């Protein structure tokens, strides 16, 4: 499941995609239009700025805007950044791999099935970008 944080990140990013030609967008405007708690949104947008997906401008006419072209930002990247692993178990994660306790990956049916789930999910999330979040 996507965390609330991830859901808020996608809501904020979809709003920024819609307004991408309007210049920097105030965080308060995003929070108000997308019903996101301001403090929570501040932390999310800072993470996205540190990852160089967004940038910000201070002062009059300031706000957040895309540093990276939203057509190039894959949904998988945002999920990993904000939510962590896409895989449902750590033993099938590509980027956050950890061996499960008391598990033999060579003979684990659940492991094998969840690799298929991971691959199917990644196939979709790596082919969709932030532009796919808007009509």
């Amino acid at each position: 499941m996507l965390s609330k944080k991830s859901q808020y990140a996608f809501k904020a990013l979809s709003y920024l995609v819609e307004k991408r030609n309007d210049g920097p967008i105030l965080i308060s405007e995003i929070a108000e239009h997308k019903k996101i708690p301001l403090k929570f949104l501040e932390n999310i947008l800072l993470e996205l700025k540190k990852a160089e997906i967004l940038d910000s401008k201070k002062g009059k006419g300031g706000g957040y805007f895309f540093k990276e072209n939203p057509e190039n930002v894959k949904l998988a990247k945002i999920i990993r950044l904000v939510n962590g692993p896409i895989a449902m178990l750590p033993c099938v994660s590509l980027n956050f791999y950890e061996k499960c306790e008391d598990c033999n990956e060579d003979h684990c049916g659940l492991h094998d099935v969840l690799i298929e789930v991971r691959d199917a999910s990644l196939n979709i999330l790596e082919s969709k970008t932030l532009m796919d979040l808007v009509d």
Side-chain angles (χ1 to χ4, degrees), residues 9-22:
F10 281 124
K11 284 181 178 187
L13 288 166
S14 67
Y15 188 76
L16 286 169
V17 168
E18 291 170 358
K19 301 287 188 176
R20 68 190 175 280
N21 298 321
D22 296 352

Side-chain angles (χ1 to χ4, degrees), residues 56-72:
S56 64
K57 179 181 171 191
K58 293 183 181 192
K60 186 174 169 81
Y64 279 89
F65 56 93
F66 281 102
K67 183 172 187 175
E68 188 171 342
N69 186 334
E71 292 176 358
N72 299 329

Side-chain angles (χ1 to χ4, degrees), residues 23-85:
I25 306 296
L26 292 172
I27 191 169
S28 57
E29 179 182 335
I30 301 167
E32 181 182 329
H33 280 82
K34 290 299 183 174
K35 309 286 188 260
I36 303 170
L38 189 60
K39 280 292 184 194
F40 207 5
L41 182 58
E42 286 174 354
N43 291 330
I44 293 167
L45 296 181
L46 280 174
E47 279 186 51
L48 295 169
K49 183 178 176 181
K50 285 179 189 171
E52 298 192 357
I53 293 165
L54 298 179
D55 205 350
S56 64
K57 179 181 171 191
K58 293 183 181 192
K60 186 174 169 81
Y64 279 89
F65 56 93
F66 281 102
K67 183 172 187 175
E68 188 171 342
N69 186 334
E71 292 176 358
N72 299 329
V73 181
K74 306 290 185 190
L75 299 185
K77 180 177 183 174
I78 302 301
I79 291 173
R80 285 185 179 122
L81 179 67
V82 177
N83 203 63

Side-chain angles (χ1 to χ4, degrees), residues 87-99:
M88 297 174 79
L89 283 177
C91 67
V92 299
S93 179
L94 295 174
N95 296 314
F96 300 90
Y97 174 85
E98 287 181 29
K99 184 167 176 39

